[in-house]
Amino acid sequence: MESTGAAARAPLTADTAGPASRAAAASTEPPFFRYHPDPVATGSIRESTEECACCHRRTGWIYGAVFYSAQDVSGRFCPWCIADGSAAERFAGEFVDTYGLDGVDEENVREVTRRTPGFSAWQDPHWLVHCGDAAAFVGEADHTRLASHPEALDRLRVDLRMGGRHDPARLEEFLTGLGGGVSAMLFRCLHCGTHLAYADSS
């Protein structure tokens, strides 16, 4: 990543990032997103010298996951244009579908869909909900990672049974085989800390 030699700055958040702050943010760490706290680790945001399709600046970071819009978007967005909502507003789009967000406060839904980086998945990505709010996306998980959060594994097991996987032996075989072409998307409740997950496959 190119460095401007600028002094370290406090992290921007989805509530504080704006055009002026974004313009001064080149080569610093990306803004913080409460519903996707580590988009660099999940692969949604990466270091890049690419120009942002919204603000036309080279901030040192670029978003590389999904964006839904009827408009033709030639390029990708910097994290700051996601955080302040300018990318979603300019291109009339969303970073994640509202599917599964029933019962969540409208403003929080807007923050998830329009001011939070999405993530890549085999199927259309969606957000999970706990304690009446969208949960934070932690990342993709295989069986080993998921097993360290037994409450998430238990919930996934129940959801898969409800989805038609009734044979216990085959269900456990499916769960232990998570990784590769079949994985789990792991989330954490922002209010009680409970982990939850859904299965994603090619």
Side-chain angles (χ1 to χ4, degrees):
M1 172 178 131
E2 297 178 354
S3 174
T4 61
R9 300 176 176 85
L12 299 175
T13 68
D15 295 323
T16 61
S21 297
R22 184 177 63 249
S27 298
T28 66
E29 292 300 305
F32 176 74
F33 301 90
R34 62 173 175 162
Y35 290 114
H36 195 158
D38 199 348
V40 176
T42 64
S44 292
I45 289 175
R46 58 179 173 80
E47 292 183 79
S48 174
T49 58
E50 187 175 339
E51 180 181 293
C52 173
C54 183
C55 68
H56 303 294
R57 297 187 62 86
R58 301 180 190 273
T59 65
W61 300 93
I62 207 73
Y63 172 69
V66 295
F67 180 69
Y68 304 98
S69 174
Q71 297 186 29
D72 182 21
V73 183
S74 57
R76 305 171 192 241
F77 306 125
C78 73
W80 289 269
C81 284
I82 298 174
D84 66 15
S86 57
E89 181 177 0
R90 177 174 177 180
F91 295 99
E94 297 181 334
F95 297 95
V96 67
D97 191 74
T98 58
Y99 173 78
L101 293 173
D102 298 336
V104 175
D105 179 84
E106 182 177 346
E107 178 54 35
N108 291 350
V109 170
R110 287 182 62 83
E111 183 173 347
V112 172
T113 60
R114 299 174 64 84
R115 301 194 302 274
T116 298
F119 56 90
S120 298
W122 290 106
Q123 306 298 324
D124 286 339
H126 64 275
W127 237 257
L128 295 183
V129 171
H130 201 269
C131 290
D133 193 5
F137 178 61
V138 176
E140 190 174 351
D142 59 13
H143 181 264
T144 300
R145 186 180 188 187
L146 203 59
S148 65
H149 304 291
E151 73 276 24
L153 189 58
D154 287 343
R155 167 171 173 154
L156 180 56
R157 185 178 286 112
V158 170
D159 288 346
L160 289 170
R161 283 174 183 158
M162 293 178 64
R165 295 182 180 270
H166 303 300
D167 184 282
R170 291 186 176 180
L171 174 58
E172 294 308 313
E173 182 181 358
F174 175 84
L175 290 172
T176 56
L178 287 173
V182 182
S183 60
M185 297 301 173
L186 184 64
F187 293 77
R188 183 186 67 255
C189 178
L190 292 174
H191 302 277
C192 72
T194 295
H195 286 81
L196 47 158
Y198 75 86
D200 179 61
S201 61
S202 57

